[in-house]
Amino acid sequence: MTNHSETNGSFDNAENADIGGYERPEPHRSARSARITEAAVTAASAGTSEAAGGAEAAGAAGAAYDGHGDEQRITLRSPAELADALPYLLGYRPEDSIVLAALHDRSGRGRFGGRARLGIPAHADDWDAAARQLVHGLITGSERRGGRPEQMVAYLCQEPAPGETGREVMTRLRPLAQKLRLECGALDVPVVEALCLSGGRFWSYCCDDESCCPAGGLPVGPPGTSVLAAAATYAGIQVRGTLRELRSRLLPREDSAARAQEAALDAASGELVSRILDDTGRADVAAQTVALAERVMGRLAEAPPAADPRRADGHDDGLLAHDEAARLLLGLQDRTTRDRAAQWMEGEDSGPALRLWRALARRCVGSYGEYAAAPLTLAGWVAWSTGDELEAREALAMALGADSEYLFARLLHQACNEGLDPESIRRCLRGESGGRTPSADAAPAVSSTAVSSTAVSPTAPASSRHRRPPRTPKGTGRPESGPAGRSRAARSRPSGRAAGVRKKACPGGRDAEGPANRE
């Protein structure tokens, strides 16, 4: 699930941490009064890149942590420990977020299943739709994977506005918590705990017992100080920080260099636009783009990144000149060139490639914001291919924010959210590798059910395979239009004969049709 103005949520099917021991409602008790009394969170000692998932419950009151076995089990007995567990369920610390975590019954023992996150709408009028979207999306997504949840845990996370207290945030968001509970209840999936986290404290919307959930809330423990944090560290599970920090690595620069970068983009557009729209010139530009990308990646590979993300990104920016970034961004607007670049998805190529795509996304400054769709999609693809689903979802959501019609990003984002295996796409791309620019009939795509190969008819003109011609540079006295004099809006589909669409067998065993343009 994605709220493009804010972020992505996930319907994860990977279950690599355990929760359990929640109290089953007795016949005479309402579902809303049911309380989670304990939960066991387990992680394989080999570790995972994301602490999302479910855990087999330990119904006993005593918690177990066995550092010598294959698994470590931590029992959570209180809302405080559930609040502490949230970053490990998502792999990051959510901000301004609604989070739902599904609980599945396993012979009277609970297990965390899928999680879904959505940004809290700024206007209360939108809360009904947001609650309905999130609840229905998570439950139907779980059903598609064969596991309808029996219960739900809800979190509302928002920091106080200036002059506001955490308790006031909790009170203001109470109607949203109630809407979530009603939506879940309407589908016979009761919310057994709903927490608000704000200002370093948490409150329960389900418990009014002052002895355990006082009206003033309780402090959330400092990050990394709980037993769960220690177990997660032992298991190799990492918590990233916040989505805001992750997005900052992919957002356009706003420093003094942004103006120089935009001027370089204008200059590259003036030089490359006519060549890209010419059959012979396009092949030359494609080859030059790939060769330049390989040189920059080699440069990055020789300079290992710093541990601090901000310092690492600053160092990478220093290794990429404005004119190089401009030429790469213009070249990647061609779909076949982008598909060739997508082959740097694994092994020793993946690290430098991901750093390059991040750096290029940061160079889409000023009026070139739409051009970020290509590097953001490539960053999301490489992240997903290498197992980082968190960055993959965020980068792909940002790509759709830059261009909502960018087909490759939309299909990858859907496939990633639905838990498909990226290996199917890797196989398609490996088949086209070999150090050459791929043919137009090899563009990969994914559908909601399988990975498919989308192809352009070989009889279609090369111009129909190009996503959009670069804009005319500023200061030339010409309107911002393509060489045929068309408006910017019309340039999303270049002129020429209509692009053909043909069917090609998918790895999943189905035939799929794919549009030739806007990919």
Side-chain angles (χ1 to χ4, degrees), residues 7-383:
T7 139
N8 70 337
S10 59
F11 306 130
D12 302 311
N13 64 341
E15 296 185 350
N16 39 13
D18 281 340
I19 186 167
Y22 58 90
E23 184 180 5
R24 300 294 300 171
E26 298 173 2
H28 66 276
R29 297 173 65 195
S30 68
R32 291 184 185 177
S33 65
R35 302 282 296 124
I36 293 180
T37 56
E38 60 184 51
V41 179
T42 333
S45 60
T48 61
S49 62
E50 180 184 54
E56 209 172 289
Y65 173 73
D66 182 1
H68 303 287
D70 291 335
E71 293 185 340
Q72 300 82 43
R73 173 167 294 164
I74 302 297
T75 301
L76 309 179
R77 299 187 179 88
S78 67
E81 290 172 323
L82 279 176
D84 180 73
L86 178 58
Y88 301 96
L89 293 176
L90 299 177
Y92 61 92
R93 303 186 187 281
E95 298 176 308
D96 292 327
S97 297
I98 312 167
V99 180
L100 291 179
L103 289 173
H104 297 275
D105 184 17
R106 297 291 186 271
S107 302
R109 306 167 73 147
R111 183 182 185 88
F112 262 140
R115 283 82 58 218
R117 194 205 74 84
L118 193 67
I120 297 176
H123 302 290
D125 292 343
D126 297 326
W127 288 357
D128 279 313
R132 189 174 305 111
Q133 178 187 9
L134 199 63
V135 171
H136 284 249
L138 178 55
I139 291 176
T140 57
S142 298
E143 288 174 335
R144 284 199 303 271
R145 298 182 181 92
R148 178 182 174 86
E150 281 75 33
Q151 296 180 328
M152 201 78 74
V153 178
Y155 298 87
L156 297 178
C157 310
Q158 189 172 77
E159 288 305 294
E164 190 178 31
T165 66
R167 184 172 181 178
E168 289 170 339
V169 172
M170 180 273 295
T171 302
R172 175 167 53 80
L173 296 180
R174 185 182 292 276
L176 176 56
Q178 183 65 8
K179 293 178 189 299
L180 291 168
R181 297 174 72 183
L182 289 175
E183 288 291 341
C184 289
L187 297 176
D188 294 324
V189 181
V191 174
V192 294
E193 183 52 61
L195 299 176
C196 176
L197 285 74
S198 180
R201 304 182 75 81
F202 73 90
W203 290 261
S204 171
Y205 290 116
C206 297
C207 178
D208 55 6
D209 186 346
E210 284 286 330
S211 65
C212 67
C213 299
L218 291 171
V220 178
T225 59
S226 66
V227 176
L228 175 58
T233 301
Y234 181 86
I237 295 171
Q238 298 179 355
V239 175
R240 293 286 193 86
T242 67
L243 286 181
R244 184 178 304 170
E245 294 168 347
L246 178 58
R247 283 196 298 272
S248 68
R249 307 191 71 182
L250 303 169
L251 289 171
R253 297 172 63 170
E254 296 181 350
D255 55 15
S256 58
R259 182 171 297 180
Q261 181 61 68
E262 188 167 11
L265 284 162
D266 288 338
S269 296
E271 178 187 350
L272 298 178
V273 61
S274 59
R275 296 175 59 195
I276 289 177
L277 291 178
D278 174 75
D279 288 347
T280 303
R282 180 184 308 102
D284 292 340
V285 172
Q288 292 167 8
T289 301
V290 170
L292 176 57
E294 289 175 334
R295 289 198 301 274
V296 176
M297 286 171 54
R299 210 179 296 158
L300 293 169
E302 293 174 357
D308 177 67
R310 183 173 299 182
R311 289 183 56 196
D313 291 344
H315 185 261
D316 289 349
D317 287 337
L319 296 175
L320 181 64
H322 293 314
D323 61 327
E324 291 176 325
R327 299 182 76 87
L328 288 171
L329 284 169
L330 267 293
L332 289 173
Q333 303 310 305
D334 179 73
R335 193 195 73 181
T336 57
T337 306
R338 180 211 64 198
D339 292 347
R340 171 64 181 89
Q343 295 170 9
W344 299 317
M345 60 194 170
E346 56 191 343
E348 62 183 13
D349 289 334
S350 61
L354 180 56
R355 292 162 62 188
L356 175 57
W357 308 144
R358 287 176 184 151
L360 289 177
R362 295 193 293 270
R363 300 300 185 94
C364 295
V365 298
S367 57
Y368 289 87
E370 281 190 5
Y371 283 50
L376 285 170
T377 300
L378 289 170
W381 161 236
V382 175

Side-chain angles (χ1 to χ4, degrees), residues 469 479-496:
E480 190 173 281
S481 61
R486 293 161 39 186
S487 67
R488 178 183 176 191
R491 286 192 289 119
S492 60
R493 294 185 182 272
S495 59

